[in-house]
Coordinates of all heavy atoms in Angstrom, one line a residue:
M59 N 0.8 -1.2 0.0 CA 0.0 0.0 0.0 C 0.9 1.3 0.0 O 0.6 2.2 -0.7 CB -0.9 0.0 1.2 CG -1.8 1.2 1.3 SD -3.0 1.3 -0.1 CE -4.5 0.9 0.7
L60 N 2.0 1.2 0.8 CA 2.9 2.4 0.8 C 3.5 2.7 -0.5 O 3.6 3.9 -0.9 CB 4.0 2.2 1.9 CG 3.5 2.2 3.3 CD1 4.7 2.0 4.2 CD2 2.9 3.6 3.7
V61 N 3.9 1.6 -1.3 CA 4.4 1.8 -2.6 C 3.4 2.5 -3.5 O 3.8 3.5 -4.2 CB 4.9 0.5 -3.2 CG1 5.3 0.6 -4.7 CG2 6.1 -0.1 -2.4
L62 N 2.2 2.1 -3.5 CA 1.2 2.7 -4.3 C 0.9 4.1 -3.9 O 0.8 5.0 -4.8 CB -0.1 1.9 -4.2 CG -1.3 2.4 -5.0 CD1 -1.0 2.5 -6.5 CD2 -2.6 1.6 -4.8
L63 N 0.8 4.4 -2.7 CA 0.6 5.8 -2.2 C 1.8 6.7 -2.6 O 1.6 7.8 -3.0 CB 0.4 5.8 -0.7 CG -0.9 5.2 -0.2 CD1 -1.0 5.2 1.3 CD2 -2.1 6.0 -0.8
D64 N 3.0 6.2 -2.5 CA 4.1 7.0 -2.9 C 4.2 7.2 -4.4 O 4.7 8.2 -4.9 CB 5.4 6.4 -2.3 CG 6.6 7.4 -2.3 OD1 6.3 8.6 -1.9 OD2 7.7 7.0 -2.8
T65 N 3.8 6.2 -5.1 CA 3.8 6.3 -6.6 C 2.8 7.4 -7.0 O 3.0 8.2 -7.9 CB 3.4 4.9 -7.2 OG1 4.3 4.0 -6.8 CG2 3.4 5.0 -8.7
L66 N 1.6 7.4 -6.3 CA 0.6 8.5 -6.5 C 1.2 9.8 -6.2 O 1.0 10.8 -6.9 CB -0.6 8.2 -5.7 CG -1.7 9.2 -5.8 CD1 -2.2 9.3 -7.3 CD2 -2.9 8.9 -4.9
A67 N 2.0 9.9 -5.1 CA 2.6 11.2 -4.7 C 3.6 11.6 -5.8 O 3.7 12.8 -6.2 CB 3.3 11.0 -3.4
Q68 N 4.3 10.6 -6.4 CA 5.3 10.9 -7.4 C 4.6 11.5 -8.6 O 5.0 12.5 -9.2 CB 6.0 9.7 -7.9 CG 7.3 9.4 -7.1 CD 8.3 10.5 -7.3 OE1 8.3 11.5 -6.6 NE2 9.3 10.3 -8.1
A69 N 3.4 10.9 -9.0 CA 2.7 11.4 -10.1 C 2.1 12.8 -9.9 O 2.2 13.7 -10.7 CB 1.5 10.5 -10.4
A70 N 1.7 13.1 -8.6 CA 1.2 14.4 -8.3 C 2.3 15.4 -8.3 O 2.1 16.6 -8.9 CB 0.6 14.4 -6.9
L71 N 3.5 15.1 -7.8 CA 4.6 16.0 -7.9 C 5.0 16.3 -9.3 O 5.3 17.5 -9.6 CB 5.8 15.4 -7.1 CG 5.6 15.4 -5.6 CD1 6.7 14.5 -4.9 CD2 5.6 16.8 -5.0
A72 N 5.0 15.3 -10.1 CA 5.4 15.5 -11.5 C 4.4 16.4 -12.2 O 4.7 17.3 -13.0 CB 5.5 14.1 -12.3
G73 N 3.1 16.1 -12.0 CA 2.1 17.0 -12.6 C 2.1 18.4 -12.1 O 2.0 19.3 -13.0
L74 N 2.4 18.6 -10.9 CA 2.5 20.0 -10.4 C 3.8 20.7 -10.9 O 3.7 21.9 -11.2 CB 2.5 20.0 -8.9 CG 1.1 19.6 -8.3 CD1 1.3 19.4 -6.8 CD2 0.1 20.7 -8.6
F75 N 4.8 19.9 -11.1 CA 6.0 20.5 -11.7 C 5.8 20.9 -13.1 O 6.2 22.0 -13.5 CB 7.2 19.5 -11.6 CG 8.3 19.8 -12.6 CD1 9.2 20.9 -12.3 CD2 8.5 19.0 -13.7 CE1 10.2 21.2 -13.2 CE2 9.5 19.3 -14.6 CZ 10.3 20.4 -14.4
V76 N 5.1 20.1 -13.9 CA 4.8 20.4 -15.3 C 3.9 21.6 -15.4 O 4.1 22.3 -16.4 CB 4.2 19.1 -16.0 CG1 3.7 19.5 -17.4 CG2 5.2 18.0 -16.0
T77 N 3.1 21.9 -14.4 CA 2.2 23.1 -14.5 C 3.0 24.3 -14.2 O 2.4 25.4 -14.2 CB 1.0 22.9 -13.6 OG1 1.4 22.8 -12.3 CG2 0.2 21.7 -14.0
G78 N 4.2 24.2 -13.7 CA 5.0 25.4 -13.6 C 5.7 25.6 -12.2 O 6.4 26.6 -12.0
D79 N 5.4 24.8 -11.2 CA 6.0 24.9 -9.9 C 7.4 24.2 -10.0 O 7.5 23.0 -9.6 CB 5.1 24.3 -8.8 CG 5.6 24.7 -7.4 OD1 6.8 25.1 -7.3 OD2 4.8 24.6 -6.5
L80 N 8.4 24.9 -10.4 CA 9.7 24.3 -10.6 C 10.4 23.7 -9.4 O 11.2 22.8 -9.5 CB 10.6 25.3 -11.3 CG 10.1 25.9 -12.6 CD1 11.1 26.9 -13.2 CD2 9.8 24.8 -13.6
D81 N 10.0 24.3 -8.2 CA 10.6 23.7 -7.0 C 10.2 22.3 -6.7 O 10.9 21.6 -6.0 CB 10.2 24.6 -5.8 CG 10.8 26.0 -5.8 OD1 11.8 26.2 -6.4 OD2 10.2 26.9 -5.2
L82 N 9.1 21.9 -7.3 CA 8.6 20.5 -7.0 C 9.5 19.4 -7.8 O 9.4 18.3 -7.4 CB 7.2 20.4 -7.4 CG 6.2 21.1 -6.4 CD1 4.8 21.0 -6.8 CD2 6.4 20.6 -5.0
L83 N 10.3 19.9 -8.7 CA 11.2 18.9 -9.4 C 12.2 18.3 -8.3 O 12.5 17.1 -8.3 CB 12.0 19.5 -10.5 CG 12.9 18.6 -11.3 CD1 12.2 17.4 -11.9 CD2 13.6 19.4 -12.4
T84 N 12.7 19.2 -7.4 CA 13.6 18.7 -6.3 C 12.8 17.7 -5.5 O 13.4 16.7 -5.1 CB 14.0 19.9 -5.5 OG1 14.7 20.9 -6.4 CG2 15.0 19.5 -4.5
W85 N 11.6 18.0 -5.1 CA 10.8 17.1 -4.3 C 10.6 15.7 -5.0 O 10.6 14.7 -4.5 CB 9.5 17.7 -3.9 CG 9.6 18.7 -2.8 CD1 9.9 20.0 -3.0 CD2 9.5 18.5 -1.4 NE1 9.9 20.7 -1.8 CE2 9.7 19.8 -0.8 CE3 9.2 17.4 -0.7 CZ2 9.6 19.9 0.6 CZ3 9.1 17.6 0.7 CH2 9.3 18.8 1.3
H86 N 10.3 15.9 -6.3 CA 10.0 14.7 -7.2 C 11.3 13.8 -7.2 O 11.2 12.6 -7.1 CB 9.6 15.1 -8.6 CG 9.3 14.1 -9.5 ND1 8.2 13.3 -9.4 CD2 10.0 13.6 -10.6 CE1 8.2 12.4 -10.4 NE2 9.2 12.6 -11.2
A87 N 12.5 14.4 -7.4 CA 13.7 13.7 -7.4 C 14.0 13.0 -6.0 O 14.4 11.9 -6.0 CB 14.9 14.6 -7.8
A88 N 13.8 13.7 -5.0 CA 14.0 13.2 -3.6 C 13.1 12.0 -3.3 O 13.5 11.0 -2.8 CB 13.9 14.3 -2.6
N89 N 11.8 12.2 -3.7 CA 10.8 11.2 -3.5 C 11.1 9.9 -4.3 O 10.7 8.8 -3.9 CB 9.4 11.7 -3.8 CG 8.4 10.7 -3.2 OD1 8.4 10.4 -2.0 ND2 7.4 10.4 -4.0
A90 N 11.8 10.1 -5.4 CA 12.2 8.9 -6.2 C 13.1 7.9 -5.4 O 13.0 6.7 -5.5 CB 13.0 9.3 -7.5
G91 N 14.0 8.5 -4.5 CA 14.8 7.7 -3.6 C 13.9 7.0 -2.6 O 14.2 5.8 -2.3
V92 N 12.9 7.7 -2.1 CA 12.0 7.0 -1.1 C 11.2 5.9 -1.8 O 11.1 4.8 -1.2 CB 11.0 8.1 -0.6 CG1 9.9 7.4 0.3 CG2 11.7 9.2 0.2
L93 N 10.7 6.1 -3.0 CA 10.0 5.1 -3.7 C 10.9 3.9 -4.0 O 10.5 2.7 -3.9 CB 9.4 5.6 -5.0 CG 8.6 4.6 -5.8 CD1 7.4 4.1 -5.0 CD2 8.0 5.3 -7.1
S94 N 12.1 4.1 -4.4 CA 13.1 3.0 -4.6 C 13.3 2.2 -3.3 O 13.3 1.0 -3.4 CB 14.4 3.6 -5.1 OG 15.3 2.6 -5.4
A95 N 13.5 2.9 -2.2 CA 13.7 2.2 -0.9 C 12.4 1.4 -0.6 O 12.5 0.2 -0.1 CB 14.0 3.2 0.2
L96 N 11.2 1.9 -0.8 CA 10.0 1.2 -0.5 C 9.8 0.0 -1.4 O 9.4 -1.1 -0.9 CB 8.8 2.1 -0.7 CG 8.6 3.2 0.4 CD1 7.5 4.1 0.0 CD2 8.3 2.6 1.7
T97 N 10.2 0.0 -2.6 CA 10.1 -1.1 -3.5 C 11.1 -2.2 -3.1 O 10.8 -3.4 -3.1 CB 10.3 -0.8 -5.0 OG1 11.5 -0.2 -5.2 CG2 9.2 0.1 -5.5
I98 N 12.2 -1.8 -2.6 CA 13.2 -2.8 -2.1 C 12.7 -3.5 -0.8 O 12.8 -4.7 -0.7 CB 14.6 -2.2 -1.9 CG1 15.2 -1.8 -3.3 CG2 15.5 -3.1 -1.2 CD1 16.4 -0.9 -3.3
A99 N 12.1 -2.6 0.0 CA 11.6 -3.2 1.3 C 10.4 -4.1 1.0 O 10.2 -5.2 1.6 CB 11.1 -2.0 2.2
Q100 N 9.6 -3.7 0.0 CA 8.4 -4.6 -0.4 C 8.9 -5.9 -0.9 O 8.4 -7.0 -0.6 CB 7.6 -3.9 -1.4 CG 6.4 -4.7 -1.9 CD 5.6 -4.0 -2.9 OE1 4.9 -3.0 -2.5 NE2 5.7 -4.3 -4.2
T101 N 10.0 -5.9 -1.7 CA 10.6 -7.1 -2.3 C 11.1 -8.0 -1.1 O 10.9 -9.2 -1.1 CB 11.7 -6.8 -3.3 OG1 11.1 -6.0 -4.3 CG2 12.3 -8.1 -3.9
A102 N 11.8 -7.4 -0.2 CA 12.3 -8.2 1.0 C 11.1 -8.8 1.8 O 11.2 -10.0 2.2 CB 13.2 -7.3 1.9
A103 N 10.1 -8.0 2.0 CA 8.9 -8.5 2.8 C 8.3 -9.7 2.0 O 7.9 -10.7 2.6 CB 7.9 -7.4 3.0
A104 N 8.1 -9.5 0.7 CA 7.5 -10.6 -0.1 C 8.4 -11.9 0.0 O 7.8 -13.0 0.0 CB 7.3 -10.1 -1.5
L105 N 9.7 -11.7 0.0 CA 10.6 -12.8 0.0 C 10.4 -13.5 1.4 O 10.4 -14.8 1.4 CB 12.0 -12.3 -0.2 CG 13.1 -13.4 -0.2 CD1 12.9 -14.4 -1.3 CD2 14.5 -12.8 -0.3
V106 N 10.3 -12.8 2.4 CA 10.1 -13.4 3.8 C 8.8 -14.2 3.8 O 8.8 -15.3 4.4 CB 10.2 -12.3 4.9 CG1 9.7 -12.8 6.2 CG2 11.6 -11.8 5.0
V107 N 7.8 -13.6 3.3 CA 6.5 -14.2 3.3 C 6.5 -15.5 2.5 O 6.0 -16.6 2.9 CB 5.4 -13.3 2.8 CG1 4.1 -14.0 2.5 CG2 5.1 -12.2 3.8
W108 N 7.2 -15.5 1.4 CA 7.3 -16.6 0.5 C 8.1 -17.8 1.2 O 7.7 -18.9 1.3 CB 7.9 -16.3 -0.8 CG 8.2 -17.4 -1.7 CD1 7.5 -18.5 -1.9 CD2 9.4 -17.5 -2.5 NE1 8.1 -19.4 -2.8 CE2 9.3 -18.8 -3.2 CE3 10.5 -16.7 -2.7 CZ2 10.3 -19.2 -4.1 CZ3 11.5 -17.2 -3.6 CH2 11.3 -18.4 -4.3
R109 N 9.3 -17.4 1.7 CA 10.2 -18.4 2.3 C 9.8 -18.9 3.7 O 9.7 -20.1 3.9 CB 11.6 -17.9 2.3 CG 12.1 -17.5 0.9 CD 12.1 -18.7 -0.1 NE 13.4 -19.3 -0.1 CZ 13.6 -20.5 -0.6 NH1 12.7 -21.1 -1.2 NH2 14.8 -21.0 -0.6
A110 N 9.5 -18.0 4.5 CA 9.3 -18.3 5.9 C 7.8 -18.7 6.1 O 7.5 -19.6 6.9 CB 9.7 -17.2 6.9
G111 N 6.9 -17.9 5.5 CA 5.5 -18.1 5.7 C 4.8 -19.0 4.7 O 3.6 -19.2 4.8
R112 N 5.6 -19.6 3.8 CA 5.0 -20.5 2.8 C 4.0 -19.8 1.9 O 3.0 -20.4 1.5 CB 4.5 -21.8 3.4 CG 5.4 -22.5 4.3 CD 6.1 -23.6 3.6 NE 6.8 -24.5 4.5 CZ 8.2 -24.5 4.6 NH1 8.9 -23.6 3.9 NH2 8.7 -25.3 5.4
G113 N 4.2 -18.5 1.7 CA 3.2 -17.8 0.8 C 3.6 -18.1 -0.7 O 4.5 -18.8 -1.0
P114 N 2.8 -17.5 -1.6 CA 3.0 -17.7 -3.0 C 4.4 -17.0 -3.4 O 4.8 -16.0 -2.8 CB 1.8 -17.0 -3.7 CG 1.3 -16.0 -2.7 CD 1.6 -16.6 -1.3
W115 N 5.0 -17.5 -4.5 CA 6.2 -17.0 -4.9 C 6.1 -15.7 -5.8 O 7.0 -14.9 -5.9 CB 7.0 -18.0 -5.7 CG 6.2 -18.5 -6.9 CD1 5.3 -19.5 -7.0 CD2 6.2 -17.9 -8.2 NE1 4.8 -19.6 -8.2 CE2 5.3 -18.7 -9.0 CE3 6.9 -16.8 -8.8 CZ2 5.0 -18.4 -10.4 CZ3 6.6 -16.5 -10.1 CH2 5.7 -17.3 -10.9
W116 N 5.0 -15.6 -6.5 CA 4.9 -14.6 -7.5 C 4.9 -13.1 -7.0 O 5.4 -12.2 -7.7 CB 3.6 -14.8 -8.4 CG 2.3 -14.6 -7.7 CD1 1.5 -15.5 -7.1 CD2 1.6 -13.3 -7.4 NE1 0.4 -15.0 -6.5 CE2 0.5 -13.6 -6.7 CE3 1.9 -12.0 -7.7 CZ2 -0.4 -12.6 -6.3 CZ3 1.0 -11.0 -7.3 CH2 -0.1 -11.3 -6.6
P117 N 4.5 -12.8 -5.7 CA 4.7 -11.4 -5.3 C 6.1 -11.0 -5.1 O 6.5 -9.9 -5.3 CB 3.9 -11.4 -3.9 CG 2.9 -12.5 -4.0 CD 3.6 -13.6 -4.8
T118 N 7.0 -12.0 -4.8 CA 8.4 -11.7 -4.7 C 8.9 -11.3 -6.1 O 9.7 -10.3 -6.2 CB 9.2 -12.9 -4.2 OG1 8.6 -13.3 -2.9 CG2 10.7 -12.6 -4.0
V119 N 8.6 -12.1 -7.1 CA 9.1 -11.8 -8.5 C 8.5 -10.5 -9.0 O 9.2 -9.6 -9.5 CB 8.7 -13.0 -9.4 CG1 9.1 -12.6 -10.9 CG2 9.4 -14.2 -9.0
A120 N 7.2 -10.3 -8.8 CA 6.6 -9.0 -9.2 C 7.1 -7.8 -8.5 O 7.3 -6.8 -9.1 CB 5.0 -9.1 -9.0
S121 N 7.4 -8.0 -7.2 CA 8.0 -6.8 -6.5 C 9.4 -6.5 -6.9 O 9.8 -5.4 -7.0 CB 8.0 -7.2 -5.0 OG 6.7 -7.2 -4.5
A122 N 10.2 -7.6 -7.3 CA 11.5 -7.4 -7.8 C 11.5 -6.7 -9.2 O 12.3 -5.8 -9.4 CB 12.3 -8.7 -7.9
V123 N 10.5 -7.1 -10.0 CA 10.4 -6.4 -11.3 C 10.0 -5.0 -11.1 O 10.6 -4.1 -11.8 CB 9.3 -7.2 -12.2 CG1 8.9 -6.4 -13.4 CG2 9.9 -8.5 -12.6
L124 N 9.1 -4.7 -10.2 CA 8.7 -3.3 -9.9 C 9.9 -2.5 -9.4 O 10.1 -1.4 -9.8 CB 7.6 -3.3 -8.8 CG 7.1 -1.9 -8.5 CD1 6.6 -1.1 -9.7 CD2 6.0 -2.0 -7.4
A125 N 10.8 -3.1 -8.5 CA 12.0 -2.4 -8.0 C 12.9 -2.1 -9.2 O 13.5 -1.0 -9.3 CB 12.7 -3.2 -7.0
A126 N 13.0 -3.0 -10.2 CA 13.9 -2.8 -11.3 C 13.3 -1.7 -12.2 O 14.0 -0.8 -12.7 CB 14.0 -4.1 -12.1
L127 N 12.0 -1.7 -12.4 CA 11.3 -0.6 -13.2 C 11.5 0.7 -12.5 O 11.8 1.7 -13.2 CB 9.8 -0.9 -13.3 CG 9.4 -2.1 -14.2 CD1 7.9 -2.3 -14.1 CD2 9.8 -1.8 -15.6
V128 N 11.4 0.8 -11.2 CA 11.6 2.1 -10.5 C 13.0 2.6 -10.6 O 13.3 3.7 -10.8 CB 11.2 2.0 -9.0 CG1 11.7 3.1 -8.2 CG2 9.7 1.8 -8.9
S129 N 14.0 1.6 -10.6 CA 15.4 2.0 -10.8 C 15.6 2.5 -12.2 O 16.3 3.6 -12.4 CB 16.3 0.8 -10.6 OG 17.6 1.1 -10.8
A130 N 15.0 1.9 -13.2 CA 15.1 2.4 -14.6 C 14.5 3.7 -14.7 O 15.0 4.6 -15.4 CB 14.5 1.4 -15.5
Q131 N 13.3 3.9 -14.1 CA 12.6 5.1 -14.1 C 13.4 6.3 -13.5 O 13.4 7.4 -14.1 CB 11.3 4.9 -13.3 CG 10.4 6.2 -13.1 CD 9.7 6.5 -14.4 OE1 10.1 6.2 -15.5 NE2 8.7 7.3 -14.3
Q132 N 14.1 6.0 -12.4 CA 14.9 7.0 -11.8 C 16.1 7.4 -12.7 O 16.4 8.6 -12.9 CB 15.5 6.4 -10.5 CG 15.9 7.4 -9.5 CD 16.2 6.8 -8.1 OE1 16.1 5.6 -7.9 NE2 16.6 7.7 -7.2
G133 N 16.7 6.4 -13.4 CA 17.8 6.7 -14.3 C 17.3 7.5 -15.5 O 18.0 8.5 -15.9
L134 N 16.1 7.2 -16.0 CA 15.6 8.0 -17.2 C 15.3 9.4 -16.7 O 15.5 10.3 -17.5 CB 14.4 7.3 -17.7 CG 14.6 6.0 -18.5 CD1 13.2 5.3 -18.8 CD2 15.4 6.3 -19.8
G135 N 14.7 9.5 -15.5 CA 14.4 10.9 -15.0 C 15.7 11.7 -14.8 O 15.7 12.9 -15.2
E136 N 16.7 11.1 -14.2 CA 17.9 11.9 -14.0 C 18.6 12.3 -15.3 O 19.2 13.3 -15.4 CB 18.9 11.1 -13.2 CG 18.4 11.0 -11.7 CD 19.3 10.0 -10.9 OE1 20.2 9.4 -11.4 OE2 18.9 9.8 -9.7
A137 N 18.4 11.4 -16.4 CA 19.0 11.7 -17.7 C 18.1 12.6 -18.5 O 18.4 13.0 -19.6 CB 19.3 10.4 -18.4
R138 N 16.9 12.9 -18.0 CA 15.9 13.8 -18.6 C 15.4 13.2 -19.9 O 15.2 13.9 -20.9 CB 16.5 15.2 -18.9 CG 17.0 15.9 -17.7 CD 15.8 16.3 -16.8 NE 16.2 17.3 -15.8 CZ 16.5 17.0 -14.5 NH1 16.5 15.8 -14.1 NH2 16.9 17.9 -13.6
V139 N 15.3 11.9 -20.0 CA 14.7 11.2 -21.1 C 13.2 11.0 -20.9 O 12.7 10.0 -20.5 CB 15.4 9.8 -21.3 CG1 14.9 9.1 -22.6 CG2 16.9 9.9 -21.4
L140 N 12.5 12.1 -21.1 CA 11.1 12.1 -20.8 C 10.3 11.2 -21.7 O 9.2 10.7 -21.3 CB 10.6 13.6 -20.9 CG 11.2 14.5 -19.9 CD1 10.6 15.9 -20.0 CD2 11.1 14.0 -18.5
A141 N 10.7 11.0 -22.9 CA 10.0 10.1 -23.8 C 9.9 8.7 -23.2 O 9.0 7.9 -23.5 CB 10.7 10.0 -25.2
G142 N 10.8 8.3 -22.4 CA 10.8 7.0 -21.7 C 10.3 7.1 -20.3 O 9.6 6.2 -19.8
H143 N 10.6 8.2 -19.7 CA 10.3 8.4 -18.3 C 8.8 8.5 -18.0 O 8.3 7.9 -17.1 CB 11.0 9.7 -17.8 CG 10.8 10.0 -16.3 ND1 11.5 9.3 -15.4 CD2 10.1 10.9 -15.7 CE1 11.1 9.8 -14.2 NE2 10.3 10.8 -14.3
M144 N 8.1 9.2 -18.8 CA 6.6 9.3 -18.6 C 5.9 8.0 -18.8 O 5.1 7.7 -18.0 CB 6.1 10.5 -19.5 CG 6.6 11.8 -19.0 SD 6.1 13.2 -20.1 CE 5.6 14.3 -18.8
P145 N 6.1 7.3 -20.0 CA 5.3 6.1 -20.1 C 5.7 5.0 -19.1 O 4.9 4.3 -18.6 CB 5.7 5.6 -21.5 CG 6.3 6.7 -22.2 CD 6.8 7.7 -21.2
L146 N 7.0 5.0 -18.7 CA 7.4 4.0 -17.7 C 6.8 4.3 -16.3 O 6.5 3.5 -15.6 CB 8.9 4.0 -17.6 CG 9.5 2.9 -16.7 CD1 9.0 1.5 -17.0 CD2 11.1 3.0 -16.7
G147 N 6.6 5.6 -16.1 CA 5.9 6.0 -14.9 C 4.5 5.5 -14.8 O 4.0 5.0 -13.8
M148 N 3.8 5.4 -16.0 CA 2.5 4.8 -16.0 C 2.5 3.3 -15.7 O 1.7 2.8 -15.1 CB 1.8 5.1 -17.4 CG 1.6 6.6 -17.7 SD 0.5 7.4 -16.5 CE -1.0 6.6 -16.9
A149 N 3.6 2.7 -16.3 CA 3.8 1.2 -16.0 C 4.0 1.0 -14.6 O 3.5 0.0 -14.0 CB 4.9 0.7 -16.9
V150 N 4.9 1.8 -13.9 CA 5.1 1.6 -12.5 C 3.9 1.8 -11.7 O 3.6 1.0 -10.8 CB 6.2 2.7 -12.0 CG1 6.3 2.7 -10.5 CG2 7.6 2.3 -12.6
F151 N 3.1 2.8 -12.0 CA 1.8 3.0 -11.3 C 0.9 1.8 -11.5 O 0.2 1.3 -10.6 CB 1.1 4.3 -11.8 CG 0.0 4.7 -10.9 CD1 0.3 5.5 -9.8 CD2 -1.3 4.3 -11.2 CE1 -0.7 5.9 -9.0 CE2 -2.3 4.8 -10.3 CZ -2.0 5.5 -9.2
G152 N 0.8 1.2 -12.7 CA 0.0 0.1 -13.0 C 0.4 -1.2 -12.2 O -0.4 -1.9 -11.6
C153 N 1.7 -1.4 -12.2 CA 2.3 -2.5 -11.4 C 2.0 -2.3 -9.9 O 1.7 -3.3 -9.2 CB 3.8 -2.6 -11.7 SG 4.2 -3.3 -13.3
A154 N 2.2 -1.1 -9.4 CA 2.0 -0.9 -8.0 C 0.5 -1.1 -7.6 O 0.2 -1.7 -6.6 CB 2.4 0.5 -7.6
T155 N -0.3 -0.7 -8.5 CA -1.8 -0.9 -8.3 C -2.1 -2.4 -8.3 O -2.8 -2.9 -7.4 CB -2.6 -0.2 -9.4 OG1 -2.3 1.2 -9.4 CG2 -4.1 -0.4 -9.2
A156 N -1.6 -3.1 -9.3 CA -1.8 -4.6 -9.4 C -1.3 -5.3 -8.1 O -2.0 -6.2 -7.6 CB -1.2 -5.1 -10.6
L157 N -0.1 -5.0 -7.7 CA 0.4 -5.6 -6.5 C -0.4 -5.3 -5.2 O -0.6 -6.1 -4.4 CB 1.9 -5.2 -6.3 CG 2.9 -6.1 -7.1 CD1 4.2 -5.4 -7.0 CD2 3.0 -7.5 -6.5
T158 N -0.9 -4.1 -5.1 CA -1.7 -3.7 -4.0 C -3.1 -4.4 -4.0 O -3.5 -4.9 -3.0 CB -2.0 -2.2 -4.0 OG1 -0.7 -1.5 -3.9 CG2 -2.8 -1.8 -2.8
Y159 N -3.6 -4.6 -5.2 CA -4.9 -5.3 -5.3 C -4.7 -6.7 -4.9 O -5.5 -7.3 -4.2 CB -5.4 -5.2 -6.8 CG -6.6 -5.9 -7.0 CD1 -7.8 -5.4 -6.5 CD2 -6.7 -7.1 -7.7 CE1 -9.0 -6.1 -6.7 CE2 -7.8 -7.8 -7.9 CZ -9.0 -7.3 -7.4 OH -10.2 -8.0 -7.6

């Protein structure tokens, strides 16, 4: 749930930056680090549930894929490759929503 909420915050920060509040780009960049840490923590938690709790394996794999997507997203954003950054942001949001569901 935290990953999804932070992903929504990222989208809001990006949208507000695009409308002209340039200071929010700094917040957007800082929050990318928070989102990255949250996806890594989610992957670790899914791994524990799978291994220790005998839960399903697929949330671990899906969380690891999401962490990789967030990492790629962060790299594209820092490189200012918006043609990839914006669509990948939508994919990250979709994955976070699916995992939360």
Side-chain angles (χ1 to χ4, degrees):
M59 180 65 107
L60 290 177
V61 170
L62 179 58
L63 291 174
D64 197 45
T65 302
L66 179 60
Q68 272 299 81
L71 289 169
L74 291 170
F75 161 71
V76 171
T77 62
D79 193 341
L80 301 180
D81 293 333
L82 290 179
L83 181 59
T84 303
W85 284 86
H86 183 70
N89 195 50
V92 172
L93 183 57
S94 182
L96 285 172
T97 58
I98 291 168
Q100 176 176 290
T101 302
L105 184 62
V106 168
V107 168
W108 172 40
R109 300 302 265 170
R112 307 265 192 256
W115 60 269
W116 67 265
T118 303
V119 174
S121 295
V123 168
L124 181 58
L127 289 176
V128 168
S129 179
Q131 176 73 338
Q132 200 169 1
L134 288 172
E136 289 172 1
R138 304 290 193 261
V139 181
L140 297 181
H143 184 72
M144 291 176 136
L146 187 54
M148 298 299 291
V150 166
F151 195 85
C153 288
T155 301
L157 274 167
T158 301
Y159 177 73

